[in-house]
Amino acid sequence: MLNYRAKNSRKHAFQKFFNGILGKMILTGLPLSFLSSLPCLVSAQQKPNVVLIYIDDLGYGDLSCYGATKIATPNVDLIAKRGLKFTNGHTTSATCTPSRYALMSGEYPWREKGRNILPGDAALILSTNKTSLPKVFKAAGYQTAIVGKWHLGLGDKVSKDWNGDISPGPNEIGFDYSFIFPATADRVPTVFMENHSVIGLEKGDSIEVDYGKKVGDEPTGKEHPELLKLPPQ
């Protein structure tokens, strides 16, 4: 958690966050993947801002404040120095989708089917009718936002039109604003989405996603396994 005094406008707070703290972290190469619960600026003196950074594959010894010697993470170290540094933590899962599901829902992922690592075109696996982490913050008077990797599915079915608005998603489970990467860099569609829409869509270059059959005329590794090997130099 990172606490700092909120300013008088949401826009100013976002600019301060991205230009300051987040910008410095990006410059250090920290693989930021999940941010949630940027606060409401009403009654800011009574409520601290909350920034949750959720990172894939970050080991206990990967931060210098936890003993790393091969790399330095001075900006994260500063957060640890100014706040609380925990030394005994546990997770519901060691992989992305299940642990994210637990964080958002408060439920053990292994108690429900389909909470394993999702393909890129999966439907939303979080219920829009149940309590969620962002809804808890909203009930306490906060505004909420998520920026980065999502990987919890989008829409109410697998088949969806990526060239139009897609819902339900982060907004429907409680985030006022979302700027996300739908799944992972190795699962299509590798696009960025703001709220319900893909950014940078072009009418003459539509997006089609199908995990069951080939899309387009480009050769695949299955059809041409020789393309998967580099010739000797």
Side-chain angles (χ1 to χ4, degrees):
M1 286 187 181
L2 173 65
N3 299 342
Y4 56 90
R5 287 183 178 271
K7 296 297 181 182
N8 294 325
S9 71
R10 183 184 179 192
K11 179 179 180 181
H12 187 88
F14 259 90
Q15 289 176 339
K16 179 178 180 181
F17 173 70
F18 281 103
N19 295 337
I21 299 162
L22 182 58
K24 291 177 182 177
M25 289 180 177
I26 292 175
L27 290 175
T28 64
L30 182 66
L32 301 181
S33 63
F34 205 78
L35 305 176
S36 69
S37 307
L38 291 180
C40 172
L41 300 180
V42 178
S43 302
Q45 299 303 319
Q46 288 75 40
K47 295 185 178 71
N49 286 335
V50 180
V51 178
L52 174 60
I53 305 173
Y54 208 70
I55 306 172
D56 281 354
D57 306 317
L58 182 73
Y60 187 94
D62 290 339
L63 302 175
S64 48
C65 57
Y66 282 94
T69 57
K70 301 298 183 182
I71 58 174
T73 54
N75 296 299
V76 181
D77 296 351
L78 185 61
I79 295 174
K81 182 179 180 181
R82 292 178 175 177
L84 293 175
K85 186 179 81 170
F86 297 96
T87 58
N88 187 359
H90 304 271
T91 180
T92 56
S93 176
T95 51
C96 44
T97 298
S99 61
R100 280 173 165 76
Y101 175 83
L103 179 71
M104 289 291 104
S105 68
E107 300 174 353
Y108 287 120
W110 35 262
R111 285 185 172 173
E112 296 284 345
K113 291 183 178 180
R115 305 303 186 255
N116 50 304
I117 301 176
L118 296 178
D121 62 346
L124 180 68
I125 61 173
L126 289 164
S127 172
T128 58
N129 298 320
K130 292 183 178 180
T131 300
S132 65
L133 181 63
K135 286 180 181 179
V136 170
F137 274 88
K138 285 176 69 68
Y142 282 79
Q143 288 181 339
T144 57
I146 175 173
V147 178
K149 179 179 175 180
W150 175 241
H151 210 181
L152 289 167
L154 293 168
D156 54 11
K157 56 184 178 180
V158 171
S159 177
K160 57 181 71 73
D161 181 10
W162 291 93
N163 305 286
D165 287 351
I166 300 176
S167 64
N171 302 95
E172 285 67 40
I173 69 140
F175 288 107
D176 295 310
Y177 174 81
S178 67
F179 189 99
I180 63 168
F181 199 72
T184 69
D186 61 350
R187 286 175 171 80
V188 294
T190 49
V191 295
F192 288 101
M193 295 182 64
E194 186 172 22
N195 294 320
H196 299 110
S197 303
V198 173
I199 291 177
L201 283 174
E202 297 181 6
K203 292 183 178 180
D205 188 19
S206 60
I207 299 174
E208 183 179 353
V209 177
D210 195 315
Y211 276 68
K213 67 178 187 297
K214 178 181 175 180
V215 175
D217 299 323
E218 294 294 326
T220 66
K222 184 177 181 180
E223 298 168 336
H224 299 277
E226 71 278 5
L227 298 178
L228 301 177
K229 299 179 180 179
L230 292 174
Q233 299 297 323

